Amino acid sequence: MIGLVCFCCPGMFNALSGMGGGGQVDHTASNNSLTALYTAFAVFGVLGGGIYNILGPHVTLFAGCSTYVVYTGSFLYYNHHKHQAFAVVSGALLGVGAGLLWAAQGAIMTSYPPSNRKGTYISIFWSIFNMGGVIGGLIPFMLNYHRSEAASVNDGTYVAFMCFMSLGALLSLAILPASKVVRNDGTKCSSIMYSNVSTECFEILKLFLNWKMLLIVPAAWSSNFFYTYQFNNVNGALFNLRTRGLNNMFYWGAQMLGSVGIGYTMDFSFKSRRKRGIVGISLVALLGSAIWVGGLINQIKYSSENNSLPEKLDFKDSGSRFAGPFVLYFCFGLLDAIFQSMVYWVIGALADDSEILSRYTGFYKGIQSAGAAVAWQVDTHKVPPMSQLIVNWILTSISYPLLLTLVILAVKDDNKDENNNAQ
């Protein structure tokens, strides 16, 4: 159910953002709205776990989902009036809503599954969620197939996204609270007494002194930082309008494949949970580095630092001219899925209690969003794409040894407990 909610709301939002510039020819309004979004998200991502502990899943999720509809509506308005104020304000509002939604999602995804199947449940969620991006990519591809490259996406594209997002808000009311969930092995989720404001404020402040959370900061910062480069400077810069929609279908489809693969590795590759974490992080580090090497080769060839971009690529183009950048963008989707699933698995391995994990995942989303806010302004200020690529590569590379340290020091091998739960 939480996968379906995110299919309709963040999934469609991802498809909208993935077109580059929110589907607009001029990226300025989108970049500024996304900066406002992720600035607010950085605050309410951290606070979201505490809010979830106070309000519970229904109010938290419904309030969060509703803001996605408003945000998309602002671009429908922008299509006609070209005033970016509404887009920027709605972006800030969505930042609040996204903080609530993702804190609730993180608490549900990491605390509801059995402890020895968290990777599997994360991959199931990630697959359903990213199907939203696949369907969302199909919408602009079909509705803008014959539109010129100089045009923004049509009104119908935004209306279709808004319909899906409204459905997601309604579906959020069907999510069960932890106290009513019984796992497939017969165990129950932690039954929490919903907290109060003073307790949550104190517990959230403690996170900034928690060594486990501090080790996660570089991974959290980088995990949405690379979106700006991928969406605007690869998909948005190299491909024409209709092809960007098609590319998004494969980008988010690649995420489904990546999440399943890393979920299996994190749950089934070895009996030892600590060893599974070490192998999973090492595998992501190896694949991630290879993908960034491909990105470097592509950027050298298609550098826009001197405004020397070639004619926009179309999916009907034959040969390596289209195939190379297309495969790279597909691999960027794989990288996003395996990287974020890996981080969620590590967070989920630190505890089983819903109340604790809601704060941990809220902290992760808050730091992640602060990084994204900076990244969108980096692009607005015309920082060369090559510089953006190098910074992204460095940030993800720093994350791997820190996460390995966290797994070695903080993740317990509780195989006996897991086997007893399974019985």
Side-chain angles (χ1 to χ4, degrees):
M1 287 302 298
I2 193 66
L4 288 173
V5 170
C6 290
F7 168 100
C8 292
C9 293
M12 295 298 156
F13 168 83
N14 284 344
L16 179 63
S17 300
M19 290 186 293
Q24 298 292 319
V25 175
D26 184 355
H27 293 183
T28 303
S30 175
N31 284 352
N32 288 335
S33 71
L34 288 168
T35 300
L37 189 163
Y38 285 108
T39 301
F41 197 169
V43 176
F44 280 86
V46 175
L47 298 177
I51 294 172
Y52 171 81
N53 287 340
I54 295 169
L55 300 179
H58 290 153
V59 176
T60 307
L61 285 169
F62 185 79
C65 290
S66 300
T67 60
Y68 283 84
V69 184
V70 178
Y71 177 79
T72 306
S74 73
F75 281 93
L76 179 61
Y77 173 85
Y78 186 83
N79 244 6
H80 295 274
H81 301 285
K82 303 303 178 185
H83 298 151
Q84 64 171 295
F86 183 22
V88 174
V89 172
S90 66
L93 181 63
L94 176 55
V96 176
L100 300 180
L101 185 149
W102 282 105
Q105 175 272 339
I108 291 168
M109 189 175 67
T110 56
S111 66
Y112 283 25
S115 59
N116 62 334
R117 289 294 180 268
K118 291 190 178 185
T120 304
Y121 280 66
I122 290 171
S123 68
I124 291 171
F125 163 81
W126 212 259
S127 296
I128 299 172
F129 156 50
N130 284 301
M131 180 58 75
V134 174
I135 302 300
L138 183 62
I139 291 170
F141 175 69
M142 293 190 304
L143 296 182
N144 301 277
Y145 189 88
H146 297 293
R147 290 174 71 84
S148 70
E149 178 54 33
S152 300
V153 300
N154 61 14
D155 290 355
T157 303
Y158 294 120
V159 171
F161 284 145
M162 292 171 70
C163 290
F164 273 104
M165 291 170 175
S166 299
L167 176 61
L170 294 175
L171 285 174
S172 69
L173 299 175
I175 301 290
L176 288 177
S179 60
K180 295 184 178 180
V181 172
V182 180
R183 302 186 179 104
N184 56 2
D185 61 4
T187 60
K188 293 185 177 181
C189 292
S190 55
S191 181
I192 63 172
M193 295 295 293
Y194 290 118
S195 188
N196 57 67
V197 175
S198 59
T199 298
E200 290 305 321
C201 288
F202 178 71
E203 292 297 330
I204 288 169
L205 288 174
K206 284 170 59 178
L207 294 176
F208 291 91
L209 300 176
N210 186 323
W211 67 272
K212 299 175 187 177
M213 293 297 99
L214 295 179
L215 289 178
I216 287 174
V217 166
W221 184 276
S222 61
S223 59
N224 270 188
F225 197 88
F226 49 58
Y227 278 167
T228 305
Y229 173 77
Q230 294 172 4
F231 293 163
N232 284 5
N233 295 298
V234 178
N235 198 31
L238 301 183
F239 301 95
N240 63 20
L241 182 62
R242 66 182 183 182
T243 305
R244 292 201 295 270
L246 179 67
N247 287 351
N248 274 337
M249 294 171 58
F250 285 92
Y251 181 94
W252 302 112
Q255 300 234 3
M256 298 167 66
L257 296 176
S259 63
V260 170
I262 197 65
Y264 181 87
T265 301
M266 293 295 208
D267 275 353
F268 300 110
S269 55
F270 294 94
K271 290 184 178 180
S272 165
R273 181 161 67 171
R274 185 181 292 117
K275 184 177 291 187
R276 295 198 304 267
I278 293 171
V279 170
I281 294 169
S282 301
L283 180 62
V284 174
L286 181 63
L287 292 175
S289 299
I291 292 169
W292 284 120
V293 168
L296 178 63
I297 295 171
N298 179 77
Q299 191 59 59
I300 291 172
K301 183 178 180 181
Y302 293 100
S303 178
S304 62
E305 295 184 28
N306 297 316
N307 297 317
S308 57
L309 277 173
E311 181 182 353
K312 298 282 188 177
L313 299 172
D314 186 81
F315 74 95
K316 291 186 177 181
D317 293 337
S318 60
S320 60
R321 183 170 179 266
F322 171 76
F326 170 78
V327 171
L328 173 65
Y329 193 63
F330 179 88
C331 290
F332 278 145
L334 281 174
L335 174 61
D336 184 27
I338 61 177
F339 190 88
Q340 293 212 56
S341 296
M342 168 194 69
V343 179
Y344 270 118
W345 184 91
V346 172
I347 292 173
L350 298 177
D352 289 315
D353 185 83
S354 175
E355 193 169 12
I356 295 173
L357 287 172
S358 66
R359 299 182 190 121
Y360 283 2
T361 54
F363 180 87
Y364 167 68
K365 296 302 292 187
I367 300 300
Q368 180 189 69
S369 302
V374 173
W376 290 110
Q377 279 304 297
V378 165
D379 190 62
T380 298
H381 287 81
K382 309 300 181 184
V383 174
M386 181 63 78
S387 299
Q388 294 187 41
L389 182 149
I390 292 171
V391 169
N392 280 304
W393 193 352
I394 291 173
L395 284 172
T396 53
S397 298
I398 291 172
S399 304
Y400 303 125
L402 297 180
L403 291 175
L404 282 171
T405 301
L406 183 57
V407 168
I408 292 170
L409 297 179
V411 174
K412 297 179 180 179
D413 276 328
D414 54 351
N415 297 319
K416 292 180 180 179
D417 294 338
E418 291 177 1
N419 290 335
N420 291 335
N421 287 338
Q423 293 172 2

